Amino acid sequence: MSLDLSASEKEKILRLEATVEQLSIQLAEKSLENKRLTAALKEAMESSRRGERVTLGCDLDLLAKNYAFYGHNSITSFLKKSGEKCTKTQLITISKSYSYMSPDARRLLEYYKSL
């Protein structure tokens, strides 16, 4: 077996390595998306069992990250975008997890809890 590869063989190997790397990245992205979808499905099933409306799109992890970077104003923004997608349980979790929030956020939270 000769280790002397032609330029075209070396180029082909480099292309194959790049393809493998790209496919590995895509696999990691799809695995992460699968985990998110599984968590959303679990939340929907739990909501259904509790007799609540089934909603998706209330990402409390995203709220926590935004809160860490932007403070209490991020709660108002989050509720404006995602409040109607949150279950009552999630809204209660928000009210318990964030002791200080703006009056606007508090009003939005109470509004969505009343639906």
Side-chain angles (χ1 to χ4, degrees):
M1 187 171 187
S2 175
L3 292 179
D4 294 329
L5 300 174
S6 68
S8 65
E9 289 173 330
K10 289 179 184 178
E11 187 176 310
K12 184 177 180 180
I13 290 171
L14 288 174
R15 280 195 316 267
L16 288 171
E17 288 174 346
T19 300
V20 167
E21 184 176 336
Q22 184 62 33
L23 289 172
S24 296
I25 291 169
Q26 289 176 2
L27 176 61
E29 289 171 349
K30 295 299 179 187
S31 294
L32 182 60
E33 183 179 351
N34 187 34
K35 286 180 183 179
R36 275 189 247 136
L37 290 172
T38 300
L41 179 60
K42 180 181 175 187
E43 176 65 30
M45 290 173 63
E46 288 173 0
S47 295
S48 178
R49 277 189 227 121
R50 290 188 300 262
E52 297 176 351
R53 63 186 172 140
V54 176
T55 58
L56 300 176
C58 184
D59 187 351
L60 297 184
D61 290 334
L62 177 62
L63 173 59
K65 289 176 188 173
N66 286 341
Y67 186 80
F69 287 108
Y70 304 112
H72 66 273
N73 290 331
S74 62
I75 299 171
T76 305
S77 177
F78 176 83
L79 290 170
K80 285 180 180 178
K81 292 178 187 172
S82 303
E84 67 185 63
K85 299 174 187 172
C86 296
T87 64
K88 286 192 187 337
T89 304
Q90 289 171 319
L91 294 168
I92 290 168
T93 300
I94 292 169
S95 67
K96 288 181 179 178
S97 298
Y98 303 97
S99 58
Y100 177 78
M101 61 180 74
S102 71
D104 288 340
R106 184 73 56 199
R107 280 191 293 273
L108 284 168
L109 189 62
E110 293 306 316
Y111 169 75
Y112 289 122
K113 282 171 41 178
S114 72
L115 296 179

